[in-house]
Amino acid sequence: MTEMRDEFLSEEDLDLRNLSWDELIAYWNLWLEQAQATNDLDEAFYSHGVFDRDPAVVERQEAEKREAEEQATAEAYARHPDSPDAAFDPAVWEGRG
Amino acid sequence: MDNPYLELTEEFNRGRLRVLLSSGQAVVVHRLAVMSKDGDWIVREDAEAVSHVLEVLSLHGARYRFGAPLDLRWLAGGWSAHLELRREALRIRTDFVTRPPRIAPEQLTRMWNEAEATGNEALAEAIRQRPLLARIAEGREPLEEALDRERRVLMRINEERLARYQAAAEPWAKLWPDVQRQMEGLLLLDAHCVLTSRAEGVLPFEPSKGGDS
């Protein structure tokens, strides 16, 4: 039976102690590169310190969201100007490409 | 081969120990885990240290994120300053405090002394002496329960601490989009002047009293 240990459980994390310094740096840098994939998602947030989110980013993201919604609404009405039900029914407009 | 956070730490500390790498990236240096993409440093609370850090960041083309100015008047009140720079494909976020939470002033002094003595720039053992650990002799379960209780209490204290700062920063947050527009395109040192002058009178040097900032 494997004894439970109070350590981080990912295989890579458990291996960190056995890496050479150069290997550790290479893995660290690679991890940082891969972590850039979430930059858009955490643009407004903070991982440390006393602030939790950037109000300018939140303001911009909300404006972008409003703009996208307005554009989608306009496009929906353009497709079916006389029938709001059809305009907002994905089954109708998704099939229209 | 080197790493952007280690290189920045080296530049911050060129000629004198001014910063301690802490939090997520220090955890990597200690080979515990790789789990954070932002860099956090504890800065020595003196004008030369803060000014040097700002100059290094300026040379790297950093820009301010929402936060307090990298200025002793705010840092001494427990605020954090946040800057960001690009290095090739990497977004490098740099966070600074001079008064890390949950570390008593005398403990912080001891850490600086130890770091000076050992030349260890990474934050070695932030909380080294925890009386709770004296309960090890009672066995695993009582110790785990005590540690869990301690963790929950610390989380609550931290939530209350953050709430105080966030409430104090509300007027600053409202102003921030405009401040950011004003800083757009400026070199960091010029942006810093704009930032400090706009923050004066809006972001209090200390949030409301009553806690562990």
Side-chain angles (χ1 to χ4, degrees):
Chain A
M1 184 179 158
T2 307
E3 190 187 346
M4 285 183 68
R5 297 183 302 178
D6 290 334
E7 294 180 31
F8 292 98
L9 295 178
S10 95
E11 200 175 318
E12 293 88 344
D13 289 340
L14 291 174
D15 272 339
L16 292 178
R17 285 193 186 280
N18 298 317
L19 299 179
S20 70
W21 181 250
D22 281 348
E23 286 170 340
L24 178 71
I25 297 288
Y27 175 68
W28 188 0
N29 290 347
L30 178 64
W31 190 96
L32 286 172
E33 276 175 35
Q34 290 175 340
Q36 303 304 305
T38 56
N39 283 357
D40 287 345
L41 297 175
D42 61 20
E43 186 184 0
F45 299 108
Y46 293 76
S47 55
H48 286 94
V50 299
F51 298 92
D52 66 342
R53 61 188 62 203
D54 184 330
V57 175
V58 172
E59 185 185 89
R60 197 197 70 229
Q61 287 173 340
E62 282 173 358
E64 286 170 357
K65 193 177 165 196
R66 272 196 307 275
E67 195 180 320
E69 283 170 356
E70 283 166 12
Q71 191 180 344
T73 303
E75 285 172 6
Y77 274 116
R79 279 190 291 269
H80 293 278
D82 302 323
S83 172
D85 288 342
F88 292 102
D89 182 355
V92 174
W93 51 263
E94 273 181 355
R96 294 170 64 92
Chain B
M1 182 188 294
D2 217 334
N3 166 274
Y5 292 109
L6 295 181
E7 286 177 352
L8 277 173
T9 305
E10 196 181 314
E11 290 177 50
F12 293 150
N13 284 335
R14 194 154 292 154
R16 180 182 171 233
L17 183 70
R18 299 179 186 87
V19 303
L20 299 172
L21 182 65
S22 65
S23 306
Q25 307 309 332
V27 163
V28 185
V29 174
H30 286 283
R31 296 167 179 265
L32 296 170
V34 182
M35 56 195 292
S36 168
K37 60 178 174 176
D38 300 337
D40 303 275
W41 288 269
I42 301 171
V43 186
R44 201 187 278 278
E45 201 171 283
D46 70 46
E48 190 277 338
V50 169
S51 164
H52 179 83
V53 167
L54 195 63
E55 278 171 27
V56 168
L57 291 168
S58 175
L59 291 173
H60 283 282
R63 66 169 187 85
Y64 267 108
R65 298 183 70 211
F66 175 58
L70 194 59
D71 179 304
L72 287 181
R73 291 172 295 171
W74 284 278
L75 294 171
W79 292 99
S80 49
H82 304 267
L83 295 97
E84 186 175 306
L85 58 98
R86 304 295 306 195
R87 194 172 125 159
E88 293 162 7
L90 297 183
R91 180 193 75 187
I92 305 287
R93 282 185 166 171
T94 58
D95 305 336
F96 301 93
V97 295
T98 60
R99 307 269 179 113
R102 299 181 293 283
I103 298 182
E106 61 275 12
Q107 202 171 5
L108 191 57
T109 305
R110 201 164 54 234
M111 276 167 42
W112 281 113
N113 292 341
E114 277 179 19
E116 284 278 11
T118 60
N120 184 0
E121 293 164 356
L123 178 53
E125 295 172 30
I127 302 172
R128 196 160 53 89
Q129 294 178 0
R130 299 171 66 193
L132 197 64
L133 296 180
R135 299 188 62 177
I136 280 176
E138 294 174 28
R140 185 173 178 149
E141 278 199 20
L143 177 65
E144 283 179 348
E145 281 170 22
L147 287 171
D148 202 35
R149 242 189 336 269
E150 179 195 60
R151 186 175 60 81
R152 287 197 300 269
V153 169
L154 290 174
M155 283 169 69
R156 274 199 297 276
I157 291 172
N158 196 43
E159 281 166 11
E160 288 163 10
R161 184 183 75 92
L162 292 181
R164 278 203 314 282
Y165 280 96
Q166 279 157 24
E170 265 177 37
W172 183 230
K174 287 197 179 83
L175 205 60
W176 179 257
D178 186 50
V179 175
Q180 196 181 50
R181 277 188 285 274
Q182 198 182 344
M183 291 191 299
E184 223 164 71
L186 297 181
L187 295 172
L188 179 61
L189 297 181
D190 296 328
H192 177 71
C193 292
V194 170
L195 186 71
T196 47
S197 114
R198 297 290 302 268
E200 282 167 2
V202 179
L203 187 67
F205 296 140
E206 287 190 39
S208 58
K209 298 282 186 186
D212 61 343
S213 64

